[in-house]
Amino acid sequence: MGKLTLTEHLKACAEAAKSFTNGLVAELAQTVTDAMQEMENVKADKQASVSITIPTTGWGIDEASESYPNYCDITVEGVTAKDRADIAIAPNSMDVAIECGMCPTNETLAGKIRVWARSVPTEAIAAEYKLNQGKE
């Protein structure tokens, strides 16, 4: 009779171990699923490039700037001064951008991205930007 009790006890321990292991596997699977969903959400939040045209009209003059006295504001809804815009000039507009001395940097302001140049471009410049949200 003692042998039967020991066998039943071992069986019960094995079942408990199996249940415990199954619980850990299920927990791990849920954690991996949650992590993968979070990665997808981060990818979805990543903004795609937005095409813009830097025009030949609407330029202002900044008397305080000797290097890049001409500026143009490109309206972008939702942009703030804390954001950062990365602008890439389209290859077919590169000669025009070089000719007018387009500044390699820009400034974000409330509702717009400001670009500078040594002179106003003679042709519209095709470009695209990616906006990196700043921390408020």
Side-chain angles (χ1 to χ4, degrees), residues 2 5 11 14 17-18 29 34 39 47 54-55 60 64 80 90 100 109 115 117 120:
T5 307
K11 213 181 225 186
K18 182 179 173 185
D34 292 346
M39 287 190 300
Q47 183 181 5
I54 300 170
T80 72
C100 74
L109 303 163
V115 295
V120 175

Side-chain angles (χ1 to χ4, degrees), residues 47-116:
Q47 183 181 5
S49 295
V50 177
S51 295
I52 55 171
T53 299
I54 300 170
T56 59
T57 58
W59 286 75
I61 295 178
D62 181 355
E63 306 274 337
S65 176
E66 291 181 30
S67 297
Y68 300 99
N70 299 282
Y71 69 88
C72 182
D73 292 335
I74 301 162
T75 302
V76 178
E77 189 176 318
V79 71
T80 72
K82 293 191 181 278
D83 296 332
R84 190 181 90 212
D86 296 324
I87 297 178
I89 305 296
N92 62 348
S93 288
M94 197 57 76
D95 288 342
V96 177
I98 291 169
E99 184 182 302
C100 74
M102 183 68 65
C103 182
T105 61
N106 63 72
E107 178 183 15
T108 54
L109 303 163
K112 57 191 169 188
I113 299 170
R114 179 169 285 179
V115 295
W116 294 282

Side-chain angles (χ1 to χ4, degrees), residues 5-28:
T5 307
L6 179 58
T7 302
E8 288 174 352
H9 180 67
L10 289 174
K11 213 181 225 186
C13 285
E15 284 297 320
K18 182 179 173 185
S19 294
F20 179 74
T21 303
N22 286 344
L24 288 179
V25 169
E27 187 178 329
L28 176 62

